[in-house]
């Protein structure tokens, strides 16, 4: 099938590369010439395990093309996937300017039946706005070309996106009941047929329900994270072990084990903006989503938990003290620093007079860029970016772990003790067992793991 992907960001590039991997002829469009040049030269603008190999393989096979030519992109695919960014606007709503610009470009150039696929995460009702934008452009041209808009939200985890796309647990497609809607359904069914050979994974529904499903899924996951973080903070006070609690409640099949890990708060490109966007939608309809308001408030507070633990151990004034930080990206297997808890921690440490040595396996360059914006070049000079995790420990008062990279799970603890000024570990992801750390002579502070000694 001939497919056009509009946008070569995280969602667009993964979608385009994986659809090409299935044998389709994929044309990826982006207005950023620098990004297109990089892709055509064999580079990848994002860090995503396995993606570089898929892109290279399909470029070499002639199934994957990158260009800034809008007219050519519209002419290429009967299926036009809109996979551009929807950043949060000032009021928390999703900014649809790039989605609607893509729709208008399609309307300006299309000369035959097209299925426009909303792949970007968009609020309920966006398909109607996309349709209106296309109709306006067709009307301005005096054209009568037929089209339809469907919703096909992505459910990709950063760090596992290629695997998620190639082995989906569900495919959600929303279409209308018109003749063109039914025509679109058949094309989408054909496109996703390779994923349904073992069993049917596609969930068909109306367009608005499909748009709503994406937000509902992310809001539910964010809720579970904030719920466990709030319980973890209480566990610290009452002397319970949140890891034991997690196993205890996760064994209930009505609850399950997924997304019950306490930590330093969620970040990234999806959960923060999607929770805000669905809250904004609700307010437009005169409803307050009280649970999600609490989820967001808890998460913002949780991003300060590591800073609070540092202050509780070392005092309010951190002048002259150096701390080591392992992990900068908001989660492992990505270089994404958007809404990362590390940014909040580093700002707090620097504001209190500390200096910091940091290490992350892949996010160092991106972290340097965003931290320069957060702190300014003067304060950024108090952050040392190290080439190896152990190098960050030299002369530090304590090690603070922010991101749960696998490389941090089993370090040489004797070397950790030897390099730190004092053996203190503040673990924002509960990677280690408190009893093991105590046995090794390490002062350990986890999230919700301060078990009181029985009297």
């Amino acid at each position: 099938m001939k497919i056009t992907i509009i946008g070569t960001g995280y969602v667009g590039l993964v979608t385009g590369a994986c659809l090409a991997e299935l044998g389709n002829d994929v044309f990826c469009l982006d207005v950023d010439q620098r990004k297109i040049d990089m892709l055509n030269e064999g580079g990848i603008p994002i860090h995503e395990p396995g993606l570089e190999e898929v892109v290279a393989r399909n470029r070499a096979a002639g199934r994957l093309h990158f260009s800034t030519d809008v007219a050519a992109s519209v002419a290429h695919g009967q299926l036009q996937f809109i996979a551009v960014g929807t950043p949060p606007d000032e009021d928390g709503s999703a900014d649809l300017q790039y989605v609607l610009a893509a729709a208008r470009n399609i309307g300006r150039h299309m000369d035959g039946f097209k299925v426009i696929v909303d792949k970007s995460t968009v609020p309920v009702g966006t398909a109607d706005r996309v349709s209106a934008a296309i109709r306006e452009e067709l009307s301005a041209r005096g054209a009568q070309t037929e089209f339809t808009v469907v919703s096909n939200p992505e459910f990709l985890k950063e760090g596992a996106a290629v695997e998620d796309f190639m082995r989906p647990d569900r495919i959600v497609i929303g279409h209308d009941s018109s003749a063109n809607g039914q025509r679109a359904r058949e094309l989408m069914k054909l496109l996703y047929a390779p994923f349904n050979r073992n069993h049917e994974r596609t969930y068909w529904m109306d367009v608005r329900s499909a748009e709503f499903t994406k937000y509902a899924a992310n809001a539910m996951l964010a809720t579970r994270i904030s719920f466990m973080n709030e319980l973890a903070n209480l566990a610290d006070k009452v002397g319970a072990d949140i890891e034991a609690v997690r196993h205890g409640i996760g064994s209930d099949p009505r609850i399950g084990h997924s997304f019950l890990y306490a930590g330093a708060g969620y970040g990234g490109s999806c959960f923060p903006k999607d929770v805000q966007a669905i809250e904004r939608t609700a307010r437009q309809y005169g409803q307050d989503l009280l649970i999600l308001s609490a989820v967001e408030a808890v998460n913002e507070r949780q991003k300060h938990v590591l800073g609070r633990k540092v202050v509780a151990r070392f005092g309010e004034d951190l002048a002259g003290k150096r701390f080591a930080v392992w992990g900068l990206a908001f989660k492992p297997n990505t270089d994404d620093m958007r809404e990362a808890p590390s940014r909040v921690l580093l700002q707090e440490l620097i504001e209190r007079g500390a200096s910091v040595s940091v290490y992350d396996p892949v996010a160092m360059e991106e972290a340097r860029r965003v931290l320069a914006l957060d702190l300014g070049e003067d304060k950024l000079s108090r952050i040392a970016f190290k080439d190896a995790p152990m190098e960050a420990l030299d002369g530090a008062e304590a090690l603070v772990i922010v991101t749960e990279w696998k490389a941090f799970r089993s370090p040489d603890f004797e070397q950790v003790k030897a390099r730190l000024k004092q053996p203190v570990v503040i673990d924002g992801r509960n990677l280690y067992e408190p009893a093991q750390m105590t046995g090794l002579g390490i002062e350990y502070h986890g999230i919700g793991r301060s078990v009181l000694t029985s009297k």
Side-chain angles (χ1 to χ4, degrees), residues 231-413:
L231 291 186
N233 295 336
L234 179 58
D236 266 337
K237 295 183 182 298
V238 303
D241 185 348
I242 198 65
E243 278 294 288
V245 174
R246 178 177 69 82
H247 288 297
I249 66 175
S251 61
D252 186 330
R254 296 169 299 178
I255 298 173
H257 290 90
S258 298
F259 279 80
L260 291 184
Y261 292 92
Y266 60 76
S269 64
C270 295
F271 288 1
K273 76 177 181 66
D274 290 356
V275 169
Q276 291 176 14
I278 196 170
E279 286 184 90
R280 171 64 177 172
T281 297
R283 287 195 294 272
Q284 290 176 336
Y285 288 86
Q287 181 180 349
D288 290 325
L289 299 183
L290 301 181
I291 290 176
L292 290 187
S293 295
V295 165
E296 190 176 12
V298 168
N299 190 63
E300 288 306 305
R301 186 174 63 195
Q302 195 69 12
K303 289 183 180 181
H304 296 272
V305 69
L306 293 175
R308 291 198 302 269
K309 287 181 178 291
V310 170
V311 168
R313 176 60 178 78
F314 294 96
E316 298 277 349
D317 184 2
L318 301 178
K321 292 182 169 61
R322 174 173 291 277
F323 294 90
V325 171
W326 281 0
L328 297 170
F330 89 94
K331 65 178 290 188
N333 298 319
T334 180
D335 62 352
D336 197 338
M337 289 291 295
R338 285 174 287 186
E339 303 287 341
S342 64
R343 297 170 68 171
V344 175
L345 171 65
L346 292 172
Q347 189 148 6
E348 288 187 354
L349 295 179
I350 297 298
E351 292 294 336
R352 291 183 180 277
S355 57
V356 189
S357 297
V358 302
Y359 172 78
D360 187 284
V362 303
M364 299 285 266
E365 183 178 344
E366 179 65 7
R368 194 188 301 270
R369 184 187 70 80
V370 300
L371 291 171
L373 298 174
D374 290 349
L375 302 170
E377 290 295 340
D378 182 52
K379 291 180 179 177
L380 182 65
S381 65
R382 284 163 47 200
I383 298 179
F385 294 84
K386 298 296 185 178
D387 294 328
M390 289 299 173
E391 289 181 16
L393 306 183
D394 293 332
E397 304 285 342
L399 165 62
V400 185
I401 300 173
V402 186
T403 313
E404 63 272 35
W405 285 93
K406 288 182 179 178
F408 303 154
R409 291 183 181 274
S410 299
D412 182 340
F413 288 111

Side-chain angles (χ1 to χ4, degrees), residues 132-174:
I134 294 172
R135 281 195 297 271
E136 287 175 9
E137 294 298 333
L138 290 174
S139 177
R141 293 167 48 201
Q144 302 293 323
T145 308
E146 292 187 337
F147 70 94
T148 191
V149 180
V150 304
S151 176
N152 176 214
E154 54 87 12
F155 297 98
L156 306 176
K157 298 186 297 292
E158 289 193 47
V162 173
E163 177 70 12
D164 283 349
F165 194 99
M166 299 304 288
R167 299 179 183 274
D169 48 21
R170 79 280 205 196
I171 300 165
V172 172
I173 301 176

Side-chain angles (χ1 to χ4, degrees), residues 66-309:
F66 301 102
S67 176
T68 58
D69 189 333
V70 174
S73 75
V74 177
H76 178 84
Q78 188 172 33
L79 295 175
Q80 299 272 319
F81 280 76
I82 298 179
V84 296
T86 54
D89 217 334
E90 292 181 2
D91 62 358
S93 62
D95 185 350
L96 296 179
Q97 62 171 311
Y98 306 112
V99 170
L100 297 178
R104 284 190 287 271
N105 281 336
I106 294 170
R108 290 188 190 108
H109 296 283
M110 60 187 287
D111 58 4
F113 176 72
K114 302 287 183 182
V115 176
I116 292 83
V117 184
D118 281 339
K119 196 69 174 172
S120 302
T121 299
V122 293
V124 176
T126 298
D128 294 337
R129 297 183 63 181
V130 167
S131 294
I134 294 172
R135 281 195 297 271
E136 287 175 9
E137 294 298 333
L138 290 174
S139 177
R141 293 167 48 201
Q144 302 293 323
T145 308
E146 292 187 337
F147 70 94
T148 191
V149 180
V150 304
S151 176
N152 176 214
E154 54 87 12
F155 297 98
L156 306 176
K157 298 186 297 292
E158 289 193 47
V162 173
E163 177 70 12
D164 283 349
F165 194 99
M166 299 304 288
R167 299 179 183 274
D169 48 21
R170 79 280 205 196
I171 300 165
V172 172
I173 301 176
H175 65 94
D176 62 39
S177 59
S178 67
N180 283 336
Q182 293 302 316
R183 188 176 175 186
R185 174 174 174 144
E186 292 306 310
L187 287 169
M188 297 296 286
K189 185 177 180 180
L190 180 61
L191 176 66
Y192 283 117
F195 300 111
N196 292 309
R197 285 179 179 153
N198 180 265
H199 65 274
E200 183 63 44
R201 292 180 170 87
T202 305
Y203 294 85
W204 302 95
M205 58 189 72
D206 63 276
V207 173
R208 290 192 169 222
S209 294
E211 292 170 335
F212 202 123
T213 297
K214 170 62 176 180
Y215 280 105
N218 280 353
M220 174 60 80
L221 296 174
T223 299
R224 288 171 68 97
I225 294 170
S226 282
F227 177 74
M228 287 303 290
N229 282 337
E230 207 160 41
L231 291 186
N233 295 336
L234 179 58
D236 266 337
K237 295 183 182 298
V238 303
D241 185 348
I242 198 65
E243 278 294 288
V245 174
R246 178 177 69 82
H247 288 297
I249 66 175
S251 61
D252 186 330
R254 296 169 299 178
I255 298 173
H257 290 90
S258 298
F259 279 80
L260 291 184
Y261 292 92
Y266 60 76
S269 64
C270 295
F271 288 1
K273 76 177 181 66
D274 290 356
V275 169
Q276 291 176 14
I278 196 170
E279 286 184 90
R280 171 64 177 172
T281 297
R283 287 195 294 272
Q284 290 176 336
Y285 288 86
Q287 181 180 349
D288 290 325
L289 299 183
L290 301 181
I291 290 176
L292 290 187
S293 295
V295 165
E296 190 176 12
V298 168
N299 190 63
E300 288 306 305
R301 186 174 63 195
Q302 195 69 12
K303 289 183 180 181
H304 296 272
V305 69
L306 293 175
R308 291 198 302 269
K309 287 181 178 291

